[in-house]
Amino acid sequence: MPITDLRFFPMVHSPFRMSTSRIVDSTCVWLPINKVQTIHSGKSAVMKCASEGHPIPSITWILANKTHISAFSIENEAVSLHSDGTLLIKKVSVYDRGIYTCRADNPIGSDTTAIRLQVIAPPPIILEDKKQFVLETMGRSLKFPCTVKGDPHPTVHWVFPDGTEVKPLHYLSDKVFLFPNGTLLIKNIVPSDSGKYECIATSSTGSERRVVLLQVEHRDIIPQIAATSQRWTQLNFGNRLLLNCSAIGEPKPRIMWRLPSKAVSITEKDAGNYICVARNRMGDDLILLKVSVTMKPAKIDHKQYFKKLVPYGKDFKVDCKASGSPEPEITWSLPDGTTINNAMQADDSGHTLKKYTLFDNGTLYFNKVGMMEEGDYTCHAQNTLGKDEMKVQIKVVAAAPRIKQNLKAYAKIKTGDDAFFDLCPKVLS
């Protein structure tokens, strides 16, 4: 902005009186009467600061953001200081608004002046039509663009017919998504999606709006299966089977299944083809899902035949881990012919069963082994496809008591002394 009126303000910082025969050092700044400068956003701002003094003063500008610019500052592409003290700001934005202070310094003193920079910026601009009417049939997916420009860059959000506000990258549902560039995506539209959709662009300089009026036509649509489980599913015997199937259409399709069997737990009879059928008055859609059931005969892992010496009265355990599909049942045969499994173990009324504990993993635990527990133990693992067995021989180590003979058959003592004889039995094992 041109400076139309200048006034000279001397500032004397010397203690000497002024006279015609003596030079008084001083610093002064030529100030513009109008200290407000208005610039349009994107244009250049030129702020002059003419000064006088002896010695010649140096000029420093203090920007609105408190940055200091002088002849010794590092070069800046956005802001530069000319040799005559003029400050140049290239392409101003609303962020450059504020007070700019020019300070003139020499050894005698300093002087300052301030200029307020005002930046005029237009409100945000939406490039698309401010009002748009969209007529579509249900089932389709639509994109409503909302491209904005402005300085500073505006923020964008959409307001739905029910008043819901959606911001970029904000999750509302799988049906709706707002991209960072302002484009609104609505999937699989239905008649209830009809209404006014409003895009609002906002910045510190103002706001702009765009309205999209959507009308979704109702029509009958033949069913279409939209999502299912994987086409082929493999399960182990006894597992649970879960198959998903969803469809779109108008009226809303009804889902039906054609199954190989009606069992909840999977058996060999449940392997085969499962057909999902989506049906409404317009027609059918179907998809075939295959299910296979993995089955293996019972097998004892790490099977071995061995003999085990167990000290009398000690505890002992033996493992019998089995695998297979369906899961095998573990049964132990005891030396006296008794059979024990988890079901029988639940009944603890018998004395024999209390001596043993059978764990779910097939491990048999002996509590304080006695001579009655000596013998052969057989582990049986069985499922619908086969069986396996493992034998373990238990030998209880014990010995009958006997007196240990003293090596000395006689003892020689003096008259009046005490005589000691150790006649206690010692058990030799």
Side-chain angles (χ1 to χ4, degrees):
M1 170 174 288
I3 301 175
T4 58
D5 187 7
L6 295 177
R7 293 183 183 177
F8 176 71
F9 294 83
M11 295 187 66
V12 180
H13 300 273
S14 173
F16 303 107
R17 296 180 178 177
M18 295 185 64
S19 68
T20 57
S21 61
R22 195 169 194 175
I23 300 176
V24 180
D25 293 343
S26 64
T27 303
C28 55
V29 179
W30 291 95
L31 302 179
I33 293 301
N34 185 5
K35 291 188 177 183
V36 177
Q37 198 169 40
T38 304
I39 303 294
H40 287 274
S41 175
K43 301 295 183 179
S44 297
V46 178
M47 287 177 272
K48 297 182 179 295
C49 183
S51 64
E52 285 186 353
H54 185 75
I56 298 175
S58 62
I59 297 297
T60 300
W61 278 92
I62 304 172
L63 310 187
N65 61 5
K66 306 307 179 183
T67 301
H68 287 60
I69 301 293
S70 67
F72 304 102
S73 300
I74 300 174
E75 292 187 4
N76 190 323
E77 294 182 357
V79 182
S80 61
L81 177 61
H82 294 181
S83 59
D84 62 355
T86 299
L87 181 70
L88 173 64
I89 304 176
K90 302 175 183 178
K91 294 184 178 179
V92 298
S93 70
V94 291
Y95 300 108
D96 296 317
R97 293 179 297 191
I99 303 296
Y100 288 75
T101 302
C102 174
R103 187 181 68 209
D105 297 281
N106 71 7
I108 306 304
S110 65
D111 194 11
T112 61
T113 185
I115 299 176
R116 177 182 297 276
L117 179 63
Q118 295 181 341
V119 180
I120 300 175
I125 299 174
I126 297 178
L127 301 184
E128 287 78 21
D129 293 339
K130 301 303 181 289
K131 192 169 185 178
Q132 181 182 4
F133 178 75
V134 177
L135 177 62
E136 278 292 352
T137 56
M138 60 183 299
R140 297 194 60 183
S141 296
L142 298 178
K143 285 184 178 180
F144 299 149
C146 187
T147 309
V148 297
K149 285 187 176 182
D151 181 22
H153 188 74
T155 60
V156 176
H157 68 275
W158 283 81
V159 179
F160 281 28
D162 61 357
T164 301
E165 184 176 303
V166 181
K167 298 180 180 179
L169 303 179
H170 171 68
Y171 178 80
L172 182 63
S173 68
D174 292 336
K175 182 184 177 69
V176 176
F177 185 77
L178 179 56
F179 293 94
N181 64 358
T183 298
L184 177 65
L185 171 64
I186 307 177
K187 301 177 182 178
N188 299 322
I189 58 174
V190 294
S192 60
D193 293 323
S194 299
K196 182 177 73 172
Y197 294 81
E198 191 172 13
C199 173
I200 303 176
T202 306
S203 74
S204 59
T205 61
S207 64
E208 180 71 298
R209 296 171 182 261
R210 155 174 158 80
V211 175
V212 178
L213 298 175
L214 174 63
Q215 181 176 341
V216 181
E217 289 185 328
H218 177 88
R219 70 171 185 176
D220 291 342
I221 301 175
I222 192 170
Q224 181 180 358
I225 295 177
T228 65
S229 301
Q230 56 188 4
R231 295 296 184 91
W232 180 64
T233 302
Q234 186 172 6
L235 298 170
N236 290 326
F237 188 97
N239 288 356
R240 296 181 68 87
L241 174 63
L242 175 63
L243 297 177
N244 296 319
C245 182
S246 62
I248 58 175
E250 189 62 34
K252 184 177 180 180
R254 182 165 55 99
I255 301 295
M256 298 176 293
W257 285 94
R258 297 176 185 172
L259 314 178
S261 72
K262 296 182 179 179
V264 175
S265 295
I266 300 300
T267 67
E268 67 275 12
K269 297 180 181 179
D270 298 308
N273 296 330
Y274 287 72
I275 302 175
C276 172
V277 181
R279 174 176 297 170
N280 65 13
R281 62 173 176 249
M282 295 296 294
D284 295 345
D285 191 17
L286 57 86
I287 191 170
L288 177 67
L289 306 178
K290 292 183 176 293
V291 175
S292 62
V293 180
T294 301
M295 300 182 65
K296 295 180 181 178
K299 181 181 179 181
I300 296 176
D301 302 331
H302 311 296
K303 183 170 64 176
Q304 53 183 334
Y305 298 92
F306 60 89
K307 296 181 180 180
K308 182 69 176 178
L309 299 179
V310 183
Y312 184 92
K314 299 293 184 179
D315 296 345
F316 179 69
K317 70 180 180 71
V318 58
D319 297 326
C320 183
K321 184 178 180 181
S323 60
S325 183
E327 185 177 355
E329 179 184 2
I330 302 297
T331 303
W332 281 91
S333 297
L334 308 186
D336 61 359
T338 303
T339 299
I340 180 174
N341 56 33
N342 285 328
M344 298 177 62
Q345 185 176 243
D347 180 12
D348 60 355
S349 59
H351 173 74
T352 304
L353 296 182
K354 292 183 179 180
K355 294 285 292 183
Y356 307 94
T357 300
L358 178 59
F359 294 95
D360 292 337
N361 63 357
T363 297
L364 182 63
Y365 181 80
F366 304 78
N367 184 26
K368 294 183 180 180
V369 173
M371 299 304 300
M372 296 294 295
E373 281 70 58
E374 189 174 73
D376 293 334
Y377 291 78
T378 304
C379 173
H380 303 275
Q382 184 172 356
N383 64 10
T384 56
L385 297 183
K387 59 183 178 179
D388 197 7
E389 66 179 33
M390 177 182 72
K391 291 186 178 181
V392 180
Q393 187 179 71
I394 302 299
K395 179 68 176 178
V396 180
V397 179
R402 66 185 179 87
I403 297 176
K404 182 179 180 180
Q405 298 295 331
N406 198 323
L407 296 179
K408 293 182 180 182
Y410 66 93
K412 183 184 291 186
I413 60 175
K414 294 180 181 181
T415 304
D417 290 346
D418 295 333
F420 295 95
F421 296 94
D422 186 6
L423 300 179
C424 295
K426 293 185 178 179
V427 178
L428 299 179
S429 57

